Amino acid sequence: MSAVNAVDSLPERIVRAAVKLFAGKGFHGTSMRAIAGAAGVSIGAIYHHFSSKDDVFLAILRQEYERRRVAVEELRAQGLPPREMVQRVARLHFELLGRHQDSVKILSHTLPREHPRLHRQLQALEEEFAGHVARLLEEGMRAGEIRECHAWTAAHALLGMARAVTARALGDDKLATELRQRGPEELAELAWRGLRP
Amino acid sequence: MSAVNAVDSLPERIVRAAVKLFAGKGFHGTSMRAIAGAAGVSIGAIYHHFSSKDDVFLAILRQEYERRRVAVEELRAQGLPPREMVQRVARLHFELLGRHQDSVKILSHTLPREHPRLHRQLQALEEEFAGHVARLLEEGMRAGEIRECHAWTAAHALLGMARAVTARALGDDKLATELRQRGPEELAELAWRGLRP
Amino acid sequence: MSAVNAVDSLPERIVRAAVKLFAGKGFHGTSMRAIAGAAGVSIGAIYHHFSSKDDVFLAILRQEYERRRVAVEELRAQGLPPREMVQRVARLHFELLGRHQDSVKILSHTLPREHPRLHRQLQALEEEFAGHVARLLEEGMRAGEIRECHAWTAAHALLGMARAVTARALGDDKLATELRQRGPEELAELAWRGLRP
Amino acid sequence: MSAVNAVDSLPERIVRAAVKLFAGKGFHGTSMRAIAGAAGVSIGAIYHHFSSKDDVFLAILRQEYERRRVAVEELRAQGLPPREMVQRVARLHFELLGRHQDSVKILSHTLPREHPRLHRQLQALEEEFAGHVARLLEEGMRAGEIRECHAWTAAHALLGMARAVTARALGDDKLATELRQRGPEELAELAWRGLRP
DNA sequence: CATGAATGAGACTTCATTCAT
DNA sequence: AATGAATGAAGTCTCATTCAT
């Protein structure tokens, strides 16, 4: 029993079930009862580990943005040439899409403005991530390897274009398939041409 | 009184109130009771003109995408050089932001996945708009004035970067102010450099 | 125009539409809007000729019980032997079923207890009709051609058995078909054997 | 308090309250709020035990038809002579009327055609019960102790006459009192004379 | 006579959350 | 730590009826 719980703690089970449901039916379309059922735990158990439904959602957001932060840290640590770096950031969403499709869906589609507290926290997480990218760009500019421009605009633009294309690529029609194949390279090219000196 | 009503039909009053509320509190954060109160009409009156809450939301979406469609039509009619065209599309969101801030907020923040019907219709509207842009780009490619690339990826990327930057520019902090000032030009430059031959 | 209205007055159109709808969807399942739509008139027009939805329903009930009253009057006027008379009353519902299926459905299935006023009036109409039958039976007893029994019990029993069998015969399955064929004779026989001296 | 609750579970309290209200005001005249109030529980508690208002109604119907099924089973088990059996079935409604007046009211007066699902289920329950009676009659015919006739017609007729008389006997006027006194015997006699060889 | 836009009470139902066990 | 029965506010929507035109 302890071995099982070690790889599959109760909070983890809850979050995993919640991610699937939020991705599929959205925040308001997912009830605590549904999460409890999908996770195979009681409703009370969820409230034992999370203070509210918002808190479950936030846990997911934090997890997801932590993944992005780590990815950017790694990029920076590798000391790649700016060109490579810009292109990799542009491709980042696609890579995460491959590994964490449900989480990406949540970020792409659900901005629950109806919860001021959630909304503020989500914005803070986005801002933090955009900040990492902006700093990357500023370093490139100082090194003369990225053209002079407004780093924050460029950072938000970079992330916005990536998000829009991955969001469209989530479907299962012909264009979605095409976007999943050509999207990463096209985006990388677009970003680099837009930012090179 | 009759003069006021003449320019201010009941459905218009309802939509105007709904836009404000949806933009401020989101779809689920806005109740029919609240819309009725803000519009100064009875709940029943809303249902006399719209078949459901979804229908009110859709009316707003259609109105907003109609504005975009018209804007793109006008661009094309002017026969501008591709460079100008690409830059104007990149600036489009900002121009609409100035005139219809609440509507832009709705488009930037609310994709109600919890309503399959709404979700599908919103995607269709987005797709249609992206299609207009993609066609614009393809014409530019045929004329050799835009570099060869995957038009649909570029179209979604163009719109995605514009949306992300305008969304961030909605706030009232220092960065938001900066983005509203420099965003349009920065975006236009980024887009053109990314797409020129 | 007057010629058309002569055979198809507005109140008649309304009642005819209402009968169909009440029979198919019940009293609460039928809205005034639906009646207006089916009759091809405005809602206001209905209120011009009937004081309320209840009033429309009552008009149908009165019409239907009038048919029954007339049928019993005719029976009595023919001075048939009691055997024949009892059997004909037993068959009465079936004959009306053939000609006025929707009205019979309403009487068989809808006793809107939720409307005290309607309920009382419907009971009064039923009572009046049962009274006609009871009197028929009492006359037969006085003539020694029907066995002595409690006429009102027998009258309600006679009508109740006929209603139950016709109600079941309204369906379209095998048993319903059988009941429509054999029901009238079976009922007539059952009634006569139960009541003959 | 625990002793009281032991014999009076929450679902039982809800059903008991609902029976009284449905019998007095009908299905549509009874709101969930009213049931909750009468049962002394919250509205949510009702939905915790029943999936819908229809479900509460169905629970009552099932309970009532179960009583009838048991009564007929017992009749058959006693191996009474057919005459006795037919007369007892004819009296059955009256006996149940004495013990469960409200439930009988519901069955006598409410056939909610407006709810297709409820309607179908009620018909199924009625059909099942009529089937028990029809089988009883067929056994009598095979034994030569009931005249040859269409068993299903006779079964529906038997139940229909009993229902009609008991329905009229529910009132508190002079005739209702008379029917409660003489009805059982009169019905029993009528049924036996109609069905004996 | 006729219209149909407007009313607003009230219906059923859902759901996040609590708490006694 | 865990359960799940119970709560009740709040949600969307329907509908008989009215009344200005």
Side-chain angles (χ1 to χ4, degrees), chain A residues 105 108-109 164 166-173 175-176, chain B residues 57-58 61 65 107 110-113 115-131 152 156 163:
Chain A
K105 257 189 202 170
S108 296
H109 287 302
T166 49
R168 184 59 187 84
L170 280 173
D172 57 357
D173 56 343
L175 179 53
Chain B
F57 194 78
L58 260 179
L61 292 186
Y65 276 98
L107 289 192
T110 311
L111 286 180
R113 161 184 298 275
H115 286 249
R117 183 171 148 268
L118 264 184
H119 193 223
R120 247 174 289 129
Q121 305 220 35
L122 177 49
Q123 282 197 328
L125 289 166
E126 291 194 321
E127 191 77 355
E128 187 198 337
F129 181 51
W152 280 89
H156 278 289
R163 174 172 303 176

Side-chain angles (χ1 to χ4, degrees), chain B residues 78-88 145 192:
Chain B
Q78 292 173 28
L80 299 170
R83 169 176 191 157
E84 193 72 13
M85 216 123 80
V86 168
Q87 292 179 336
R88 292 223 181 164
E145 293 174 313
W192 173 242

Side-chain angles (χ1 to χ4, degrees), chain A residues 112-121:
Chain A
R113 162 186 296 276
E114 30 264 358
H115 286 248
R117 183 171 149 267
L118 264 184
H119 190 224
R120 250 175 286 127
Q121 306 220 34

Side-chain angles (χ1 to χ4, degrees), chain A residues 153, chain B residues 68 88-101 104 161-170 176-188:
Chain A
T153 303
Chain B
R68 280 164 170 62
R88 292 223 181 164
V89 169
R91 285 195 209 104
L92 184 56
H93 272 74
F94 275 96
E95 286 171 24
L96 292 170
L97 177 62
R99 281 183 292 156
H100 307 289
Q101 187 163 351
V104 172
M161 72 170 73
R163 174 172 303 176
V165 178
T166 49
R168 183 61 187 82
L170 280 174
T177 309
E178 249 178 270
L179 288 180
R180 280 200 295 274
Q181 290 169 351
R182 308 203 38 185
E185 283 318 307
E186 292 283 341
L187 270 184

